[in-house]
Amino acid sequence: QSALTQPPSASGSPGQSVTISCTGTYSDVGGWNYVSWYQQHPGKAPKLIIYEVIKRPSGVPDRFSGSKSGNTASLTVSGLQAEDEADYYCISYASSNAVFGGGTKLTVL
Amino acid sequence: QVQLVQSGAEVKKPGASVKVSCKASGYTFTGYYIHWVRQAPGQGLEWLGRINPDSGGTNDVQKFQGRVSMTRDTSITTAYMELTGLRSDDTAVYYCARGGPLPYYYKNPDYWGQGALVTVSS
């Protein structure tokens, strides 16, 4: 199972919006609505911010939103804040297993 | 509250084995899958597999060719991941994470342990 494709980096200024993509195939992202997104700060464990493509766990700000079109899922961070600077990873269910994206480093300029 | 507390850092020699533990609390241990994920230094997350704590059944990636073994002890609500034939590229932080409620094996993890650093060095 190949890793999902994410851009290595993304950036935006405070208050702006940024979208991170996660591209797979019909066997993973395209075939199932079981895509999640995690935020990871340096030295910390990943934190769930989006699950089942569009759902947000309680306590996660509504500035974080998810979507999917075909084989590509996306995470949008609106109203960027300094604390949003982190690594972001997508994961999808894939034929009895699961597969992560390579990760995207989000920089708040 | 859901908590997953992992064992401490380990240093192993090439060819040795390591067993990482993951103590769960705050929910019904046998009611949710446990996933194992690793992260090499400066690299991304890599999914290793999942275990059904109720039945003990597992799914893992073919890449490890039987080197990964996931088990559990329901009496102490603890999951284990053992990796044998260690190589230098197995150096990583190993995480356990709670998956979906049984039987929803396709749901992704929500709560994560703090991670356990395994260093493989001669």
Side-chain angles (χ1 to χ4, degrees), chain B residues 8-84:
Chain B
E10 305 247 23
V11 179
K12 296 290 184 180
K13 294 197 181 302
S17 300
V18 69
K19 192 170 186 177
V20 178
S21 68
C22 173
K23 166 75 174 173
S25 61
Y27 72 98
T28 301
F29 177 68
T30 51
Y32 291 77
Y33 291 90
I34 291 282
H35 294 245
W36 288 92
V37 174
R38 75 178 183 180
Q39 186 171 36
Q43 302 302 307
L45 301 172
E46 179 179 22
W47 189 80
L48 303 181
R50 77 167 78 78
I51 183 168
N52 175 336
D54 187 34
S55 68
T58 62
N59 291 94
D60 56 74
V61 293
Q62 284 189 321
K63 165 183 175 177
F64 293 96
Q65 296 179 312
R67 292 198 302 129
V68 168
S69 172
M70 292 171 285
T71 58
R72 91 287 188 225
D73 185 336
T74 58
S75 69
I76 55 172
T77 65
T78 299
Y80 302 92
M81 189 283 304
E82 183 173 24
L83 186 59
T84 60

